[in-house]
Amino acid sequence: MADQKTKYIFITGGVVSALGKGIACASLGVLLKKRGLSVNIIKLDPYLNIDPGTMNPFQHGEVYVLDDGSETDLDLGHYERFLNQSMTKDNNLTAGQVYHTIITRERRGDYLGATVQVIPHVTEEIKNSIKRLETINGKVDVMICEIGGTVGDIESLPFLEAIRQMGLEGEPNDSLYIHLTLVPYVDSAGELKTKPTQHSVKALREIGIQPNILLCRTSKTLDESMRKKIGLFCSVPSKNVIEAIDASTIYDVPLKFEGHGLSNLVLDHLGLSAPEPDLQEWENLVTNIKNPTRRVKIAICGKYVYLKDAYKSIIEAFIHAGAENDARVDLVWVSSEDIKQDGAAKFMADVDGLLIPGGFGERGVEGKIESIRYIRENKIPFLGICLGMHCATIEYARNVCGLEDAHSYEFYRDLKHSVIHLMADQENITELGGTMRLGAYPATVDKDSFTYKAYGETEISERHRHRYEFNNEYREMFIEAGLKLVAVSPDKKLVEIIEVPNHPWFVAVQFHPELKSRPIAAHPLFRDFVAATVEYKKSQQDKKQSETPKKPVA
Ligand code: GLN
């Protein structure tokens, strides 16, 4: 399709937030890619932060870090995973970035003589950022634009105005508007209700956007009469009213959409022709996710266990690793503060593995350290990520090396033994936004390690997000005490992975492997960690069986 002009698909959301717009965009992207089209996705976020990097996970969920070091919305994780395609900072535009650009220009005098206004200056900047993505990341057949927020929000108005204008710039079939909405089932009435969707589309039409396709989130099947009714009230042909029924796994969404003919509708509207999609790989993936023959329990011990969005990529990485191991991974969420109160044994005794994720702040750290001690001593598989590696280092220093007051400089400044300390190039940093060690960095792995077994190579590249690191002054002490420092940065200055030997599987990493796990290629560390938990569970069962007294033969 080389010299075809780019077609735009704009996806808005209505009624309530959290309907899965990101997954809808990513799923449509998969279908178009599987039809041989090149696709890219941009997420437009209407908030005023430059990026989500300084936001609390309770506000925003996980901050998703890209190879180029940008801190972005977690939907970019869905895009990368579904499209199997790496994103860059230009795939996420926030209102904060738009205003920052405009105000910088205004101060420079670029608008001399003019009043700077939402229309045309903000809207032009939004349109240019969408179009600029192509000149930076390469031309594509289809550009999908996800507009964050819900129609009716004040802050998303400039974005909606910008995409309205873009639709007028080319031919009618150069752009397509999809609205994701909710058709709730009301128990007391015993039926699905279309009114919220009617109101949401009305709000969209009031600002000049007529959706071409409606994706209707629902818990019950939308029958023909319901689709006709929605179509009639919303001025959309009923064949373009697509059911988006709740799915047991998000990876089933592309298949469900295709079952309702979504990619054909999109192609017809955009005047594109392409071969039928080959979805075999996705069908196999979904079959593997839905029908595992084995089952393991892995504890995740963190601070935000009540907010699963804070650990989105970790949850997905376990789904990918489970599918490759023919195992269902049941995650057991343990609040690190509860461990401090009740002890680790209560929570860790019947799990097959423990993961300590990344995090910030001292709250819950003692509980994490306690749970690592239990897991290390009882030889249960362990994966530590970033703060998880810091906690594993502190635990080893205290309980194996005998440094009772070992801790991290992140939490206490006047320690005798800061086994984790501030990175040298972080010392003079005063601004907090975008200043951590961020993005992809290479590391060299020792061959004699669990890590090398997982990757099968000595040169790796992984994504980072941290200010604190393993303190090199303690390297010798740790090595003498048996801890293995199995990966370092190419200049050997930074310890990137530690392992405890004579253990079924104990690996702790300074980076975030979960950010590079893909459904069709689980991350090697997650894959081998899950494999180790399967082995561990089996060994426990065998042990139990051999301990059960045999009945005497009569
Ligand atoms: N808070 C720690 C640091 O800044 C760990 C960060 C993380 O877990 N991503 O180094």
Side-chain angles (χ1 to χ4, degrees):
M1 287 251 166
D3 35 58
Q4 268 265 9
K5 60 179 160 178
T6 301
K7 305 280 182 170
Y8 290 97
I9 299 176
F10 302 108
I11 303 194
T12 55
V15 184
V16 289
S17 59
L19 287 182
K21 228 183 312 141
I23 288 163
C25 289
S27 299
L28 177 57
V30 167
L31 295 176
L32 298 177
K33 250 190 115 164
K34 296 287 183 191
R35 299 192 72 147
L37 298 166
S38 56
V39 178
N40 206 347
I41 311 189
I42 183 168
K43 170 87 193 268
L44 310 174
D45 274 313
Y47 52 73
L48 290 174
N49 303 60
I50 295 283
D51 60 43
T54 58
M55 282 189 225
N56 183 314
F58 285 112
Q59 292 281 317
H60 191 270
E62 166 186 85
V63 174
Y64 191 79
V65 180
L66 305 179
D67 279 337
D68 66 12
S70 42
E71 298 175 286
T72 67
D73 186 79
L74 58 77
D75 277 329
L76 272 81
H78 293 309
Y79 305 164
E80 286 200 339
R81 290 187 281 265
F82 277 63
L83 297 188
N84 193 24
Q85 190 170 308
S86 291
M87 302 279 136
T88 69
K89 69 175 184 1
D90 302 289
N91 291 85
N92 193 186
L93 179 74
T94 68
Q97 291 167 18
V98 172
Y99 282 97
H100 187 263
T101 307
I102 291 173
I103 290 167
T104 310
R105 263 190 220 139
E106 188 275 336
R107 290 291 82 188
R108 213 167 43 214
D110 290 4
Y111 300 107
L112 224 48
T115 307
V116 184
Q117 294 181 297
V118 170
I119 304 171
H121 300 99
V122 171
T123 46
E124 280 305 312
E125 179 54 27
I126 293 170
K127 289 193 284 180
N128 289 338
S129 301
I130 297 172
K131 293 174 194 162
R132 202 161 44 225
L133 186 55
E134 279 202 72
T135 51
I136 300 168
N137 284 7
K139 192 186 160 326
V140 287
D141 297 318
V142 181
M143 181 70 75
I144 299 174
C145 307
E146 176 185 349
I147 293 84
T150 308
V151 168
D153 297 344
I154 291 174
E155 59 181 12
S156 59
L157 281 174
F159 287 93
L160 295 172
E161 172 58 15
I163 64 163
R164 182 191 73 82
Q165 291 178 13
M166 276 184 81
L168 299 175
E169 285 174 4
E171 302 299 321
N173 71 354
D174 285 345
S175 50
L176 168 78
Y177 295 91
I178 297 181
H179 190 54
L180 176 68
T181 170
L182 177 70
V183 180
Y185 181 79
V186 177
D187 263 341
S188 56
E191 56 181 6
L192 291 167
K193 289 292 180 190
T194 65
K195 196 72 82 189
T197 294
Q198 294 177 37
H199 278 289
S200 182
V201 173
K202 182 167 170 260
L204 202 52
R205 291 167 71 185
E206 272 168 9
I207 47 182
I209 296 174
Q210 167 63 52
N212 307 107
I213 293 176
L214 297 178
L215 290 176
C216 301
R217 274 301 299 272
T218 170
S219 55
K220 304 256 189 275
T221 302
L222 280 190
D223 63 18
E224 181 61 23
S225 70
M226 191 61 76
R227 289 170 50 221
K228 267 200 180 130
K229 183 177 176 188
I230 295 172
L232 186 67
F233 280 100
C234 300
S235 293
V236 173
S238 62
K239 70 173 182 16
N240 290 16
V241 178
I242 303 273
E243 168 192 296
I245 200 157
D246 298 348
S248 61
T249 160
I250 55 171
Y251 299 104
D252 208 1
V253 175
L255 301 177
K256 286 205 180 321
F257 280 176
E258 197 51 11
H260 295 293
L262 180 64
S263 72
N264 276 337
L265 284 177
V266 168
L267 261 54
D268 285 350
H269 180 96
L270 295 174
L272 294 172
S273 56
E276 285 299 311
D278 175 5
L279 294 169
Q280 194 56 53
E281 195 178 48
W282 277 80
E283 278 158 13
N284 295 345
L285 170 74
V286 170
T287 308
N288 290 345
I289 292 173
K290 285 186 178 174
N291 310 299
T293 61
R294 310 187 287 188
R295 211 168 167 157
V296 287
K297 255 198 234 171
I298 296 182
I300 297 193
C301 176
K303 205 163 65 170
Y304 304 108
V305 290
Y306 305 109
L307 179 85
K308 306 289 183 289
D309 266 5
Y311 304 111
K312 194 90 206 158
S313 294
I314 288 178
I315 297 171
E316 295 308 317
F318 274 126
I319 292 173
H320 312 156
E324 285 190 25
N325 277 291
D326 184 23
R328 175 180 158 159
V329 179
D330 294 319
L331 298 176
V332 182
W333 299 90
V334 182
S335 158
S336 37
E337 286 167 294
D338 291 348
I339 293 191
K340 197 176 164 198
Q341 215 180 323
D342 299 339
K346 177 173 171 198
F347 302 95
M348 301 296 142
D350 73 335
V351 300
D352 308 307
L354 167 69
L355 179 135
I356 305 272
F360 297 81
E362 209 251 337
R363 187 156 59 85
V365 161
E366 289 304 324
K368 291 176 192 173
I369 294 172
E370 198 40 44
S371 64
I372 297 172
R373 176 185 192 150
Y374 184 91
I375 287 288
R376 183 179 55 75
E377 290 179 348
N378 289 283
K379 300 205 181 299
I380 303 170
F382 172 74
L383 176 60
I385 295 177
C386 204
L387 182 62
M389 170 180 151
H390 297 177
C391 292
T393 307
I394 297 166
E395 190 278 320
Y396 207 86
R398 286 186 191 174
N399 302 320
V400 181
C401 307
L403 304 184
E404 271 172 33
D405 69 339
H407 220 309
S408 166
Y409 189 70
E410 178 175 5
F411 313 124
Y412 297 100
R413 297 276 139 144
D414 48 4
L415 293 171
K416 208 155 122 213
H417 297 295
S418 296
V419 288
I420 301 297
H421 71 164
L422 189 64
M423 299 177 66
D425 52 8
Q426 289 284 328
E427 270 160 23
N428 299 318
I429 285 175
T430 50
E431 289 199 359
L432 294 184
T435 56
M436 281 185 257
R437 179 175 179 238
L438 290 166
Y441 286 92
T444 310
V445 178
D446 276 358
K447 284 201 162 167
D448 178 23
S449 60
F450 297 121
T451 302
Y452 178 77
K453 265 201 202 115
Y455 285 92
E457 43 196 286
T458 54
E459 303 307 314
I460 62 169
S461 170
E462 292 287 355
R463 297 180 186 175
H464 297 68
R465 183 172 189 249
H466 65 117
R467 287 187 208 283
Y468 299 86
E469 60 165 350
F470 187 99
N471 187 344
N472 288 330
E473 283 178 22
Y474 293 88
R475 274 198 199 192
E476 284 314 311
M477 175 200 79
F478 277 114
I479 294 170
E480 272 166 32
L483 190 72
K484 287 171 75 178
L485 316 182
V486 303
V488 289
S489 55
D491 63 6
K492 301 194 169 40
K493 286 191 178 148
L494 301 173
V495 174
E496 301 283 30
I497 309 180
I498 60 172
E499 291 186 2
V500 172
N502 306 320
H503 189 280
W505 206 88
F506 190 111
V507 178
V509 299
Q510 181 57 81
F511 49 84
H512 290 269
E514 71 275 21
L515 301 176
K516 285 182 68 174
S517 186
R518 304 264 165 105
I520 55 152
H523 190 284
L525 291 176
F526 273 86
R527 187 199 60 219
D528 278 18
F529 175 42
V530 171
T533 62
V534 171
E535 275 304 304
Y536 173 81
K537 182 174 177 180
K538 195 169 164 296
S539 71
Q540 290 303 99
Q541 282 168 342
D542 291 348
K543 207 160 107 191
K544 243 190 220 152
Q545 233 163 27
S546 67
E547 281 165 6
T548 326
K550 303 241 171 357
K551 270 196 195 148
V553 185

